[in-house]
Amino acid sequence: MSEIPYKTYLHESEMPKAWLNIKGFMKNKPEPLLNPATMKPCTKEDLTPVFCDKLVDQELNVTDKYIDIPKPILDFYKLYRPSPLVRAYGLEKALDTPAEIYYKFEGNNTSGSHKLNSAAAQIYYAKEQGLKAVTTETGAGQWGTALAMAGAAFDMPVKVYMVKVSYEQKPFRRNVMNVYGAQVVASPSDTTNAGRKILAEHPGTNGSLGCAISEAVEAALCDPEHNTRYVLGSVLDQVLLHQSVIGLETKAALDKLGVKPDIIVGCAGGGSNLGGLISPFMAEKLEGKSDVRIIAVEPASCPSFTRGQYRYDFCDTAKTTPLAKMYTLGCDFIPSANHAGGLRYHGMSPVLSKLYDDKYMEAKSYTQTEVFDAAIKFARIEGTLPAPESSHAIKGAIDAALECKAKGEKKIIVFGLTGTGYFDMKAYDEFLGGRMSDYIPTDAEINIK
Amino acid sequence: MSEIPYKTYLHESEMPKAWLNIKGFMKNKPEPLLNPATMKPCTKEDLTPVFCDKLVDQELNVTDKYIDIPKPILDFYKLYRPSPLVRAYGLEKALDTPAEIYYKFEGNNTSGSHKLNSAAAQIYYAKEQGLKAVTTETGAGQWGTALAMAGAAFDMPVKVYMVKVSYEQKPFRRNVMNVYGAQVVASPSDTTNAGRKILAEHPGTNGSLGCAISEAVEAALCDPEHNTRYVLGSVLDQVLLHQSVIGLETKAALDKLGVKPDIIVGCAGGGSNLGGLISPFMAEKLEGKSDVRIIAVEPASCPSFTRGQYRYDFCDTAKTTPLAKMYTLGCDFIPSANHAGGLRYHGMSPVLSKLYDDKYMEAKSYTQTEVFDAAIKFARIEGTLPAPESSHAIKGAIDAALECKAKGEKKIIVFGLTGTGYFDMKAYDEFLGGRMSDYIPTDAEINIK
């Protein structure tokens, strides 16, 4: 056995002090957000009614390579970071591969995922701006939980519009948010015009993420004191920025071990975890200092990279957001009920879309039964019960390791294990009981303009 | 801010290589288990039909101070250990106390608690003995989950009798065990005589831990090939031995930081977590090298230390086990529905009972509403959602810190945070909704002979 430990934790003093802004390293910048009313690039003035001022600055910042992490956020990170970089000795042995496999595990906090990295930042800037509350939406509940935790720490009221079907079927998720003091509203609700309209038209509706977003944005905009803002957990450039802490820690730990990755694998929904994980490695690649392979893994049921088009599209179903140039399946695309709820998004981070279009990264897709098969193998060998989203990266890493085995190549594979599957047991049960099916959308279903 | 980091992780090479057997340090040994048929001390021959041979050796070993941890168990520990020792800066500040507060967090593994430390050991010895399966019972499910995880890692079939009410109300817990390949049976079941008898007498019963134990023991004993054994997650001396890894890591981390605890607080149900946490500190105290205060915290609804009697009693309700000399509320005592399921046990570890009777440790009890109030305070400040069991220790530590504040004493307080509360959200919801009540048993209800 090698001298590399199973788990590597950075010392607190080795934690990153600045986030990495990947846009600062890109010669070909991503296309700007467009105001759909004018079709001109969004200005700070366009965005600050909805988002916190400092976060808008970060969203529009395409030049700075690094942005200092404010001390209160660093202190909050110390509550649950650094996260471990794990050498998957068991998985390597089970696969009988010459490859070395590492994973960065972001699930060791109560929210159960990497979402907390951006929640802390967004809540902090809201507090700094003197706001009285933030609003957001949540589907499965990980983002809402993360935001509630950060809200409790920074004493910032949080109002979460939770898709009604989750609100009713996942009361425990809602209860966790309540423990942290967040107000959780089943969406659609009668607290907004958007909610009331939907309820009038579809009285029995279970809600949708699109509707919950509309309610959360409206609740922020319609605060008569204009002292509330909306926050979002993925897709945006600012979220990738905050998530760069994942990749920076990963690189610092690998550097300590004297290990240089050949292949990096991450799951991709809106792109925040993947963008964060790859950030310092992509920066080196953009500077011509590295030829690391970067592989985005997405569900075959929602294949924005592998089957989408790179074009301007709305970020939401209701077409209320700015237009983003991104890989998209069309904002009207309704993903099938894949259990990796965090990957069910029609679009993709504009930054990652540009990097993919410029061939700095690859993408592949898997069906959910392939993914759950890998998840259960991983759980039994490595101990940790992975989230379905994260299990896409596990499947990608396993396939990369088997490719190494076939070719007799001793490569270094690093993947992102973004979270735990505690709240996804219904899906595991369906898989184990043989009741899970796969769905691959037809060409007609995607690319709806 | 001090130079002590928020979290201290030992390096893998600093992890304990041997368990600490507290009995080896005790001049006054705990009283032996008695065979109820003969009223003579249990021999190895009495115990090996039920338990693995090596585990019986450990159970009866009152002389060795340390017992080497076999390498396969050390390797398994590396999957989720070392666990962090956390400096509770936030809690200190919120309490405005001169005391320093540290906690050892055992919840960073999928089973969600310290139970995995003994599960791994017990499964390993079963494998080494060439057994074909182990049986156990589980109530809330943490022990069953831990055993399933260890079973998957060591390729040892695990059969879990899960109390029917939990089986039905906590399907997710059951599903997690299924993911790890364990067979989970709702108890009472028609697979054992004990189960069939109960079902015939009480057709609509929800089951009980006592009944599930009876079924699990019978299933082990009645294997026609005599190749199955029963395993238990707490109370036994062997379990305290395995859990000593908690205390040994805690002490190693504190030594690294140059910190010496004045007060150690742990929750106490069967006693395994507390016994493990205090082991090296108690050893020093027994050797006259330390005068550390050790405080056991238990629920007011099940107060074995604070209101029980120190006498021989059965370990189970059905009176099928050996007799143990311990603090007990009487084996017929039925604890009220306190949500800290892991602390609802009528007795207490014989080792800890002896140490308590010899005044090496103190005990105090709290009502569950006091405990949940502390739990929510802790979650909002420190981030981690604690298990109700662990929250007893939080409450004890907070009170010790407030005592330091009142007296102006800068003491070092260390407590054990044994697990997470993900599967206890119903209880949190009841507390937040003002629907949780306290129950303190009358004198007539306890000490039933």
Side-chain angles (χ1 to χ4, degrees), chain A residues 78-406:
Chain A
K78 289 175 191 169
L79 290 177
Y80 68 101
R81 308 200 66 82
S83 71
L85 179 75
V86 188
R87 173 76 183 269
Y89 280 117
L91 191 59
E92 289 171 17
K93 194 176 162 191
L95 298 174
D96 189 24
T97 175
E100 290 183 14
I101 307 175
Y102 297 80
Y103 60 91
K104 180 73 168 168
F105 179 45
E106 291 289 314
N108 272 351
N109 70 72
T110 290
S111 81
S113 83
H114 66 292
K115 295 278 182 185
L116 197 50
N117 300 327
S118 186
Q122 297 195 46
I123 288 284
Y124 166 77
Y125 288 116
K127 185 79 183 175
E128 198 202 31
Q129 193 173 329
L131 300 180
K132 71 169 188 194
V134 299
T135 66
T136 198
E137 77 291 335
T138 200
Q142 286 185 320
W143 169 244
T145 307
L147 205 67
M149 288 174 69
F154 288 100
D155 195 22
M156 169 60 59
V158 170
K159 187 168 188 175
V160 180
Y161 288 87
M162 186 172 187
V163 177
K164 190 186 257 175
V165 61
S166 293
Y167 183 93
E168 285 168 358
Q169 289 183 1
K170 297 193 170 186
F172 293 168
R173 266 290 185 195
R174 164 172 38 111
N175 295 340
V176 177
M177 291 184 256
N178 292 148
V179 164
Y180 289 93
Q183 185 187 353
V184 186
V185 180
S187 169
S189 74
D190 62 4
T191 66
T192 64
N193 290 325
R196 284 186 289 268
K197 182 159 179 282
I198 296 269
L199 284 173
E201 290 169 3
H202 309 279
T205 179
N206 278 327
S208 71
L209 208 49
C211 174
I213 293 175
S214 303
E215 288 205 82
V217 172
E218 180 184 330
L221 284 173
C222 297
D223 167 16
E225 299 167 34
H226 194 53
N227 212 4
T228 302
R229 293 293 182 282
Y230 167 73
V231 294
L232 182 64
S234 191
V235 185
L236 297 174
D237 296 2
Q238 61 187 262
V239 183
L240 264 73
L241 174 75
H242 307 147
Q243 296 298 353
S244 69
V245 69
I246 304 172
L248 291 164
E249 277 188 9
T250 302
K251 186 160 189 317
L254 288 170
D255 286 349
K256 252 181 114 160
L257 298 174
V259 170
K260 206 173 145 52
D262 299 301
I263 302 169
I264 301 176
V265 185
C267 60
S272 74
N273 128 73
L274 177 67
L277 173 67
I278 65 176
S279 59
F281 306 100
M282 181 59 85
E284 285 190 341
K285 195 168 180 175
L286 287 163
E287 288 177 328
K289 296 177 187 166
S290 154
D291 59 354
V292 61
R293 269 183 76 191
I294 292 173
I295 306 172
V297 183
E298 58 185 14
S301 60
C302 194
S304 24
F305 267 143
T306 51
R307 296 177 64 201
Q309 295 177 337
Y310 186 46
R311 61 176 170 86
Y312 270 104
D313 194 7
F314 288 98
C315 301
D316 68 333
T317 311
K319 304 185 184 181
T320 62
T321 65
L323 292 161
K325 182 143 183 202
M326 58 182 176
Y327 276 83
T328 177
L329 299 165
C331 68
D332 297 317
F333 177 76
I334 309 286
S336 73
N338 186 297
H339 287 290
L343 306 182
R344 298 178 63 220
Y345 182 64
H346 69 277
M348 181 57 65
S349 147
V351 171
L352 294 186
S353 291
K354 180 70 178 169
L355 290 167
Y356 179 66
D357 200 57
D358 285 350
K359 311 278 189 268
Y360 284 102
M361 48 191 282
E362 308 161 37
K364 60 196 301 183
S365 71
Y366 293 109
T367 62
Q368 63 176 349
T369 52
E370 293 176 302
V371 165
F372 272 85
D373 188 60
I376 285 177
K377 185 176 287 169
F378 180 84
R380 292 183 181 178
I381 294 168
E382 291 287 324
T384 297
L385 181 78
E389 291 84 353
S390 324
S391 303
H392 286 72
I394 294 173
K395 172 66 176 158
I398 288 176
D399 278 7
L402 292 175
E403 205 181 298
C404 288
K405 182 181 176 179

Side-chain angles (χ1 to χ4, degrees), chain A residues 6 12 110 179-180 380 383 385, chain B residues 6 12 110 179-180 380 383:
Chain A
Y6 279 62
E12 190 174 288
T110 290
V179 164
Y180 289 93
R380 292 183 181 178
L385 181 78
Chain B
Y6 280 61
E12 190 173 288
T110 290
V179 164
Y180 289 93
R380 292 182 181 179

Side-chain angles (χ1 to χ4, degrees), chain B residues 92-258:
Chain B
E92 290 171 17
K93 193 175 163 192
L95 298 174
D96 188 24
T97 175
E100 290 183 12
I101 307 174
Y102 297 80
Y103 59 92
K104 180 72 167 167
F105 180 44
E106 291 290 315
N108 272 351
N109 70 72
T110 290
S111 80
S113 84
H114 66 293
K115 295 279 182 186
L116 198 50
N117 300 326
S118 186
Q122 297 194 46
I123 288 283
Y124 166 76
Y125 287 117
K127 187 77 183 178
E128 197 202 34
Q129 194 173 327
L131 299 180
K132 71 169 187 195
V134 299
T135 66
T136 199
E137 78 290 336
T138 202
Q142 286 185 320
W143 169 244
T145 306
L147 205 67
M149 289 173 69
F154 288 100
D155 195 21
M156 167 62 59
V158 170
K159 187 169 188 174
V160 180
Y161 288 87
M162 186 172 187
V163 177
K164 190 186 258 174
V165 61
S166 292
Y167 184 93
E168 286 168 357
Q169 289 184 0
K170 297 192 171 186
F172 293 168
R173 265 291 185 194
R174 165 171 38 110
N175 296 339
V176 176
M177 291 184 255
N178 293 148
V179 164
Y180 289 93
Q183 185 187 352
V184 186
V185 181
S187 169
S189 75
D190 62 4
T191 67
T192 65
N193 290 326
R196 284 187 289 268
K197 184 159 176 284
I198 297 269
L199 284 173
E201 290 169 4
H202 308 281
T205 179
N206 278 326
S208 70
L209 208 49
C211 175
I213 293 175
S214 303
E215 288 204 83
V217 171
E218 181 185 328
L221 284 172
C222 296
D223 168 17
E225 299 168 33
H226 193 53
N227 212 4
T228 302
R229 293 291 183 284
Y230 167 73
V231 294
L232 182 65
S234 189
V235 185
L236 296 174
D237 297 2
Q238 61 187 263
V239 183
L240 264 73
L241 175 75
H242 307 146
Q243 296 297 355
S244 69
V245 69
I246 304 172
L248 291 163
E249 276 187 10
T250 302
K251 186 162 188 317
L254 287 171
D255 286 349
K256 253 181 112 160
L257 299 174

Side-chain angles (χ1 to χ4, degrees), chain A residues 42-55:
Chain A
C42 284
T43 61
K44 183 165 180 178
E45 291 64 39
D46 288 334
L47 297 172
T48 49
V50 178
F51 298 108
C52 299
D53 296 355
K54 285 277 179 69
L55 293 167

Side-chain angles (χ1 to χ4, degrees), chain B residues 316-381:
Chain B
D316 68 334
T317 312
K319 305 186 183 182
T320 63
T321 65
L323 291 161
K325 184 146 182 200
M326 60 182 176
Y327 275 83
T328 177
L329 299 166
C331 67
D332 296 317
F333 177 76
I334 310 286
S336 73
N338 187 296
H339 287 291
L343 306 182
R344 297 178 64 220
Y345 182 63
H346 70 277
M348 181 56 68
S349 147
V351 171
L352 294 186
S353 292
K354 180 70 177 169
L355 291 167
Y356 179 65
D357 200 56
D358 286 349
K359 313 275 189 269
Y360 283 102
M361 48 192 281
E362 309 159 38
K364 61 196 302 182
S365 70
Y366 293 110
T367 62
Q368 64 177 347
T369 51
E370 291 176 303
V371 165
F372 272 85
D373 187 60
I376 285 177
K377 185 175 287 169
F378 180 85
R380 292 182 181 179
I381 295 168

